[in-house]
Amino acid sequence: MMKLMETTTDTIESLLPELEAIYKDLHQHPELSMQEVRTASIAADYVEKLGYDVTRNVGGTGVVAMLRNGEGPTVMLRADMDALPMVEATGLPYASTVRSKDEEGVDVGVAHSCGHDMHVTWLMGVTHLMAAHRDAWRGTLMAVFQPGEEVARGARSMIDDGMARRFPKPDVILGQHVMVGEAGTVGHRSGAILSAGDSLKVKLFGRGSHGSQPQTSIDPVIMAASTTLRLQTIVSREISPRDSAVLTIGALQAGTKENIIPDDATLKLNIRTFDEDVREYMLGAVRRICCAECVASNAPREPEFTTLSSYPLTINDVETSERVRKAFESHFDERAYEAAPAAASEDFSVFGREWAVPYAFWFVGGTDPDTFRKAVKEKKLNEIPSNHSPKFAPVLDPTLRTGLEAMLCAAGEWLDPRDASV
Ligand code: ZN
Ligand code: ZN
């Protein structure tokens, strides 16, 4: 076992009540993307008291905290801080009842239904343990609390605020996410672990008219209907069965009344891919089909494409994830498993991509073990509330401890004084 884990085991136990209180407080006070003012200041104040060199307001509410502890590699650990615009329905005593205004000024419920409150708590716990046990490691720890993951803007805005210029380049970047999975387990993977996610809005232009006079119109409803069906042929007819992709049209809007042919129609679609070439192909095919359907309808102008969000692929570096796997297997034994890639997306990899730094991301189970095992046995895993469900909330024991140990254990791979190689 690594020195860092050996030394911190007792402290973890005594730190858990404090972390549980922090978690419940964050859970009850969720903040929307790019508005994480309270969360960021709690994290920043906490690490500052521990002796970290803290920079606030990086790319909005982002926090970068550095702890230099002699010669050695620099390890960046990242936690995202934002919550979602939804009403929590977990029924937990510490459930959120917060309401807030989103960017359009709409009043919405706010809930930590993706578990980012757990991520913040884990990272705060790690900063505490690393500060308390400086004798057990060498190098520099860089703790990053990131805003706006749910809108795919936070990592980008920290980079755009000069992150790479203002802070030393890390040797490795590590991150983790609480997911549906048996609490106490960690899922690692080499290569693609999360899909790319691209959301587009496509506006199709026709010519409005009276419903009784279709010959004077160019009907955008027909155009949108035809486009919707044809777009579904990209995955089924154009992508190899060896590759995988998802294309969902989640919104289709046109018109106001049965006897008015509207001027235009809007589609909103979401694409998930696990390969950069497949991603580019899909994006190109969407454009091609939308434009061709407009030509087929004799549309007065080309469709208008707006990118709503774009999440890059999360492709774990092979060598880095191999080290993480070894560390997990030696600490967690059979509780460490190889995860399948998830069709979920993250902006975590933006840091590694922009900085050209290898990275690894992994999953930490947050589902009550009995509930999870029962669901596996009955083949009802899809009935467990997943991230973004109003009923999603991890069980605190042993999820809190597991994420803490996972991060320490992985960071120790680079920072252990007995194994200080990069
Ligand atoms: Zn999420
Ligand atoms: Zn998330």
Side-chain angles (χ1 to χ4, degrees):
M1 199 198 258
M2 284 167 299
K3 192 172 178 196
L4 195 58
M5 290 305 301
E6 283 168 33
T7 339
T8 49
T9 309
D10 292 345
T11 330
I12 290 180
E13 201 57 49
S14 55
L15 187 61
L16 285 175
E18 174 184 324
L19 293 179
E20 192 173 311
I22 291 171
Y23 170 80
K24 287 180 176 170
D25 175 63
L26 294 174
H27 192 85
Q28 278 183 303
H29 299 93
E31 294 172 297
L32 291 174
S33 304
M34 308 308 288
Q35 303 179 20
E36 310 86 340
V37 179
R38 181 181 184 272
T39 311
S41 79
I42 287 173
D45 291 349
Y46 187 86
V47 288
E48 205 161 57
K49 275 200 199 100
L50 293 168
Y52 283 69
D53 181 2
V54 178
T55 310
R56 299 169 194 242
N57 304 323
V58 182
T61 62
V63 177
V64 178
M66 312 281 300
L67 188 61
R68 291 173 188 85
N69 190 33
E71 283 296 304
T74 297
V75 174
M76 172 176 151
L77 305 177
R78 174 270 203 179
D80 41 6
M81 304 186 282
D82 52 336
L84 288 157
M86 57 199 292
V87 175
E88 178 166 350
T90 58
L92 287 166
Y94 50 90
S96 158
T97 54
V98 170
R99 297 198 69 85
S100 183
K101 293 256 189 289
D102 70 9
E103 285 181 339
E104 271 108 49
V106 180
D107 179 66
V108 289
V110 189
H112 265 300
S113 307
C114 203
H116 299 182
D117 46 353
M118 184 58 82
H119 305 170
V120 173
T121 311
W122 282 334
L123 188 50
M124 286 170 70
V126 170
T127 60
H128 186 126
L129 294 164
M130 299 293 276
H133 295 281
R134 290 179 215 214
D135 51 328
W137 61 282
R138 286 287 169 274
T140 299
L141 181 71
M142 181 178 185
V144 172
F145 297 91
Q146 183 212 301
E149 187 283 326
E150 295 291 354
V151 291
R153 291 214 317 261
R156 168 60 49 196
S157 72
M158 289 187 84
I159 290 287
D160 289 348
D161 199 10
M163 191 109 164
R165 183 174 36 82
R166 294 163 65 184
F167 303 98
K169 178 172 165 161
D171 295 288
V172 66
I173 302 177
L174 305 172
Q176 55 184 357
H177 207 300
V178 62
M179 301 276 268
V180 169
E182 187 173 334
T185 65
V186 289
H188 54 81
R189 182 173 187 83
S190 179
I193 186 162
L194 291 169
S195 62
D198 289 279
S199 292
L200 295 177
K201 181 167 96 174
V202 187
K203 195 167 180 184
L204 308 173
F205 299 95
R207 186 168 62 228
S209 175
H210 195 285
S212 68
Q213 304 291 318
Q215 76 281 10
T216 63
S217 78
I218 291 172
D219 191 343
V221 175
I222 301 294
M223 219 185 288
S226 196
T227 304
T228 299
L229 291 177
R230 181 95 203 186
L231 285 174
Q232 290 307 330
T233 67
I234 304 173
V235 175
S236 71
R237 301 292 81 186
E238 298 187 41
I239 299 295
S240 159
R242 273 191 284 276
D243 293 320
S244 69
V246 177
L247 188 155
T248 292
I249 296 157
L252 177 55
Q253 289 145 349
T256 52
K257 197 171 182 296
E258 70 284 1
N259 62 354
I260 305 171
I261 296 171
D263 278 324
D264 49 58
T266 301
L267 283 83
K268 285 183 186 167
L269 56 97
N270 180 256
I271 300 167
R272 306 283 172 147
T273 47
F274 293 93
D275 177 281
E276 199 57 56
D277 290 342
V278 176
R279 174 176 176 264
E280 274 169 33
Y281 185 87
M282 293 280 294
L283 289 170
V286 165
R287 275 183 178 264
R288 184 187 80 234
I289 288 171
C290 292
C291 291
E293 287 295 343
C294 290
V295 171
S297 296
N298 199 22
R301 51 181 284 208
E302 287 211 329
E304 195 178 271
F305 298 91
T306 313
T307 302
L308 298 174
S309 68
S310 180
Y311 290 89
L313 273 166
T314 307
I315 308 176
N316 284 337
D317 174 64
V318 175
E319 201 197 318
T320 305
S321 39
E322 191 55 20
R323 289 181 72 166
V324 169
R325 178 185 67 79
K326 279 195 200 136
F328 283 177
E329 283 174 356
S330 83
H331 180 70
F332 293 105
D333 295 318
E334 76 285 358
R335 291 192 290 134
Y337 67 97
E338 186 183 4
S345 309
E346 258 282 347
D347 69 352
F348 164 76
S349 73
V350 167
F351 295 109
R353 285 163 182 272
E354 290 292 327
W355 235 330
V357 172
Y359 60 83
F361 193 76
W362 61 84
F363 305 140
V364 178
T367 315
D368 171 67
D370 293 337
T371 311
F372 188 80
R373 283 186 207 144
K374 188 163 173 274
V376 169
K377 215 167 136 197
E378 295 172 0
K379 296 195 165 54
K380 285 183 176 165
L381 264 185
N382 56 354
E383 288 178 17
I384 294 178
S386 64
N387 302 65
H388 291 212
S389 155
K391 292 192 173 150
F392 177 83
V395 288
L396 296 187
D397 182 27
T399 311
L400 201 48
R401 161 192 284 278
T402 309
L404 205 59
E405 290 179 355
M407 233 174 197
L408 272 181
C409 173
E413 259 301 300
W414 281 265
L415 299 174
D416 198 298
R418 290 175 301 193
D419 183 30
S421 60
V422 181

Short mmCIF file of all heavy atoms in Angstrom, two decimals, residues 82-106:
data_model
loop_
_atom_site.label_atom_id
_atom_site.label_comp_id
_atom_site.label_asym_id
_atom_site.label_seq_id
_atom_site.Cartn_x
_atom_site.Cartn_y
_atom_site.Cartn_z
N ASP A 82 -21.58 22.76 -10.08
CA ASP A 82 -22.94 23.24 -10.38
C ASP A 82 -24.04 22.21 -10.18
O ASP A 82 -23.82 21.01 -10.22
CB ASP A 82 -23.01 23.81 -11.81
CG ASP A 82 -22.48 22.84 -12.88
OD1 ASP A 82 -21.67 21.96 -12.55
OD2 ASP A 82 -22.90 23.00 -14.05
N ALA A 83 -25.25 22.73 -9.97
CA ALA A 83 -26.45 21.91 -9.82
C ALA A 83 -27.34 22.10 -11.05
O ALA A 83 -26.99 22.82 -11.98
CB ALA A 83 -27.19 22.30 -8.55
N LEU A 84 -28.50 21.44 -11.04
CA LEU A 84 -29.39 21.45 -12.22
C LEU A 84 -30.69 22.21 -11.96
O LEU A 84 -31.16 22.26 -10.82
CB LEU A 84 -29.72 20.00 -12.60
CG LEU A 84 -28.57 19.21 -13.22
CD1 LEU A 84 -28.78 17.72 -13.05
CD2 LEU A 84 -28.42 19.57 -14.70
N PRO A 85 -31.28 22.74 -13.04
CA PRO A 85 -32.56 23.45 -12.88
C PRO A 85 -33.73 22.46 -12.79
O PRO A 85 -34.40 22.21 -13.77
CB PRO A 85 -32.64 24.30 -14.16
CG PRO A 85 -31.83 23.55 -15.17
CD PRO A 85 -30.77 22.80 -14.42
N MET A 86 -33.91 21.89 -11.61
CA MET A 86 -35.00 20.92 -11.43
C MET A 86 -35.39 20.84 -9.96
O MET A 86 -34.63 21.25 -9.09
CB MET A 86 -34.57 19.54 -11.96
CG MET A 86 -33.32 18.97 -11.32
SD MET A 86 -32.58 17.66 -12.33
CE MET A 86 -33.84 16.40 -12.16
N VAL A 87 -36.59 20.32 -9.71
CA VAL A 87 -37.07 20.21 -8.33
C VAL A 87 -36.67 18.84 -7.79
O VAL A 87 -36.94 17.82 -8.41
CB VAL A 87 -38.61 20.39 -8.29
CG1 VAL A 87 -39.14 20.16 -6.87
CG2 VAL A 87 -38.99 21.78 -8.79
N GLU A 88 -36.01 18.83 -6.65
CA GLU A 88 -35.56 17.55 -6.07
C GLU A 88 -36.75 16.75 -5.53
O GLU A 88 -37.66 17.30 -4.93
CB GLU A 88 -34.56 17.84 -4.94
CG GLU A 88 -34.08 16.56 -4.24
CD GLU A 88 -32.85 16.77 -3.36
OE1 GLU A 88 -32.23 17.84 -3.42
OE2 GLU A 88 -32.52 15.82 -2.62
N ALA A 89 -36.73 15.45 -5.77
CA ALA A 89 -37.83 14.59 -5.30
C ALA A 89 -37.30 13.38 -4.55
O ALA A 89 -37.87 12.29 -4.60
CB ALA A 89 -38.68 14.16 -6.48
N THR A 90 -36.17 13.55 -3.84
CA THR A 90 -35.59 12.41 -3.13
C THR A 90 -36.30 12.15 -1.81
O THR A 90 -36.22 11.04 -1.27
CB THR A 90 -34.09 12.65 -2.80
OG1 THR A 90 -34.01 13.86 -2.02
CG2 THR A 90 -33.27 12.82 -4.06
N GLY A 91 -36.94 13.18 -1.25
CA GLY A 91 -37.58 13.03 0.04
C GLY A 91 -36.59 12.96 1.20
O GLY A 91 -36.96 12.66 2.33
N LEU A 92 -35.32 13.22 0.93
CA LEU A 92 -34.31 13.17 1.98
C LEU A 92 -34.49 14.34 2.95
O LEU A 92 -34.96 15.40 2.56
CB LEU A 92 -32.90 13.28 1.35
CG LEU A 92 -32.41 12.05 0.59
CD1 LEU A 92 -31.19 12.42 -0.26
CD2 LEU A 92 -32.05 10.93 1.57
N PRO A 93 -34.12 14.13 4.22
CA PRO A 93 -34.26 15.25 5.18
C PRO A 93 -33.42 16.47 4.77
O PRO A 93 -33.75 17.58 5.16
CB PRO A 93 -33.77 14.66 6.50
CG PRO A 93 -33.13 13.35 6.18
CD PRO A 93 -33.65 12.89 4.87
N TYR A 94 -32.36 16.24 4.02
CA TYR A 94 -31.53 17.37 3.58
C TYR A 94 -31.75 17.71 2.11
O TYR A 94 -30.88 18.28 1.44
CB TYR A 94 -30.05 17.10 3.88
CG TYR A 94 -29.55 15.75 3.39
CD1 TYR A 94 -29.00 15.60 2.12
CD2 TYR A 94 -29.62 14.62 4.22
CE1 TYR A 94 -28.55 14.37 1.67
CE2 TYR A 94 -29.17 13.38 3.77
CZ TYR A 94 -28.64 13.27 2.50
OH TYR A 94 -28.19 12.05 2.05
N ALA A 95 -32.93 17.39 1.59
CA ALA A 95 -33.25 17.70 0.18
C ALA A 95 -33.31 19.22 -0.04
O ALA A 95 -33.61 19.97 0.88
CB ALA A 95 -34.58 17.07 -0.19
N SER A 96 -33.03 19.61 -1.27
CA SER A 96 -33.06 21.03 -1.60
C SER A 96 -34.48 21.52 -1.85
O SER A 96 -35.29 20.81 -2.45
CB SER A 96 -32.23 21.26 -2.87
OG SER A 96 -32.61 22.46 -3.51
N THR A 97 -34.77 22.73 -1.38
CA THR A 97 -36.05 23.37 -1.70
C THR A 97 -35.78 24.69 -2.41
O THR A 97 -36.65 25.54 -2.54
CB THR A 97 -36.88 23.64 -0.43
OG1 THR A 97 -36.06 24.39 0.47
CG2 THR A 97 -37.31 22.36 0.25
N VAL A 98 -34.53 24.86 -2.85
CA VAL A 98 -34.08 26.13 -3.43
C VAL A 98 -34.75 26.40 -4.78
O VAL A 98 -34.97 25.50 -5.58
CB VAL A 98 -32.53 26.10 -3.60
CG1 VAL A 98 -32.04 27.28 -4.42
CG2 VAL A 98 -31.86 26.07 -2.25
N ARG A 99 -35.09 27.67 -4.99
CA ARG A 99 -35.54 28.12 -6.31
C ARG A 99 -34.63 29.26 -6.72
O ARG A 99 -34.11 29.99 -5.90
CB ARG A 99 -37.00 28.58 -6.27
CG ARG A 99 -37.97 27.44 -5.89
CD ARG A 99 -39.39 27.77 -6.27
NE ARG A 99 -39.58 27.79 -7.71
CZ ARG A 99 -39.84 26.72 -8.44
NH1 ARG A 99 -39.93 25.53 -7.88
NH2 ARG A 99 -40.02 26.82 -9.74
N SER A 100 -34.44 29.39 -8.02
CA SER A 100 -33.54 30.43 -8.49
C SER A 100 -33.96 30.86 -9.89
O SER A 100 -34.86 30.27 -10.47
CB SER A 100 -32.11 29.89 -8.48
OG SER A 100 -31.20 30.87 -8.87
N LYS A 101 -33.28 31.88 -10.40
CA LYS A 101 -33.58 32.33 -11.77
C LYS A 101 -32.51 31.79 -12.71
O LYS A 101 -31.31 31.91 -12.43
CB LYS A 101 -33.55 33.86 -11.83
CG LYS A 101 -34.68 34.51 -11.03
CD LYS A 101 -35.78 35.03 -11.94
CE LYS A 101 -36.81 35.87 -11.21
NZ LYS A 101 -37.68 35.09 -10.31
N ASP A 102 -32.93 31.18 -13.81
CA ASP A 102 -31.93 30.72 -14.77
C ASP A 102 -31.49 31.91 -15.64
O ASP A 102 -31.89 33.05 -15.40
CB ASP A 102 -32.46 29.54 -15.60
CG ASP A 102 -33.57 29.93 -16.58
OD1 ASP A 102 -33.82 31.15 -16.74
OD2 ASP A 102 -34.17 29.02 -17.17
N GLU A 103 -30.65 31.63 -16.65
CA GLU A 103 -30.07 32.73 -17.42
C GLU A 103 -31.10 33.52 -18.20
O GLU A 103 -30.88 34.67 -18.56
CB GLU A 103 -28.97 32.20 -18.34
CG GLU A 103 -27.72 31.88 -17.54
CD GLU A 103 -26.57 31.38 -18.40
OE1 GLU A 103 -26.83 30.90 -19.52
OE2 GLU A 103 -25.42 31.47 -17.94
N GLU A 104 -32.25 32.88 -18.48
CA GLU A 104 -33.32 33.61 -19.18
C GLU A 104 -34.28 34.30 -18.21
O GLU A 104 -35.31 34.84 -18.62
CB GLU A 104 -34.12 32.65 -20.08
CG GLU A 104 -33.54 32.51 -21.48
CD GLU A 104 -32.88 31.16 -21.71
OE1 GLU A 104 -33.50 30.13 -21.39
OE2 GLU A 104 -31.73 31.15 -22.16
N GLY A 105 -33.95 34.24 -16.91
CA GLY A 105 -34.78 34.89 -15.91
C GLY A 105 -35.99 34.07 -15.48
O GLY A 105 -36.86 34.55 -14.76
N VAL A 106 -36.02 32.80 -15.91
CA VAL A 106 -37.14 31.93 -15.54
C VAL A 106 -36.91 31.35 -14.15
O VAL A 106 -35.80 30.93 -13.81
CB VAL A 106 -37.29 30.78 -16.57
CG1 VAL A 106 -38.45 29.86 -16.20
CG2 VAL A 106 -37.45 31.33 -17.98
#
